[in-house]
Amino acid sequence: MERYQIPDPLVEMTLEQIGGYLSAWRKLQQLTMAQLAKRAGVSTPVVARLEKGQEGVGIGALMRVLSVLELTDNLTRALDPYQDRYGRELAHRTTVQRVRKRSGQL
């Protein structure tokens, strides 16, 4: 059975933004797509797909490109729920407190 995925405009817009940011970082570091691809151990079309915000590129390839661009720490911090106000709020709400039984209670 083939799954059909309905396009999500927010996801598509975010992918395009991320692609644009990757392109900007590459250009700021004065790298061509081919140079970045070679250093990351991926093909030039993979870098092009990432920069266009196209789906279908593996997370490993993305991480290798981010590593060459020295952006892995930024991504790690961005995804850490404890570095984000909303994440800390959720963690605080979901903390389960233990209730001790008094002696003699079953």
Side-chain angles (χ1 to χ4, degrees):
M1 178 182 215
E2 196 172 317
R3 285 187 0 191
Y4 176 75
Q5 189 169 340
I6 299 171
D8 183 335
L10 181 59
V11 170
E12 290 178 11
M13 184 178 71
T14 304
L15 285 170
E16 287 178 17
Q17 281 182 313
I18 291 170
Y21 296 151
L22 289 174
S23 177
W25 275 106
R26 176 181 59 78
K27 291 173 184 175
L28 287 169
Q29 294 182 33
Q30 299 179 341
L31 294 170
T32 65
M33 280 189 191
Q35 289 170 323
L36 176 56
K38 184 175 181 178
R39 291 181 189 182
V42 300
S43 68
T44 303
V46 165
V47 173
R49 288 179 60 91
L50 283 169
E51 290 189 4
K52 290 177 186 172
Q54 295 176 341
E55 295 184 41
V57 177
I59 194 167
L62 171 62
M63 292 308 297
R64 285 190 289 278
V65 167
L66 291 174
S67 178
V68 171
L69 297 173
E70 299 184 22
L71 297 172
T72 53
D73 287 343
N74 295 4
L75 179 63
T76 303
R77 274 192 304 280
L79 293 175
D80 182 351
Y82 301 103
Q83 296 294 321
D84 178 79
R85 183 188 56 80
Y86 179 62
R88 289 190 301 269
E89 182 181 312
L90 288 174
H92 179 72
R93 278 194 262 159
T94 58
T95 302
V96 178
Q97 295 181 359
R98 289 186 161 182
V99 178
R100 294 182 184 233
K101 293 182 182 177
R102 294 183 189 160
S103 59
Q105 284 185 328
L106 295 177

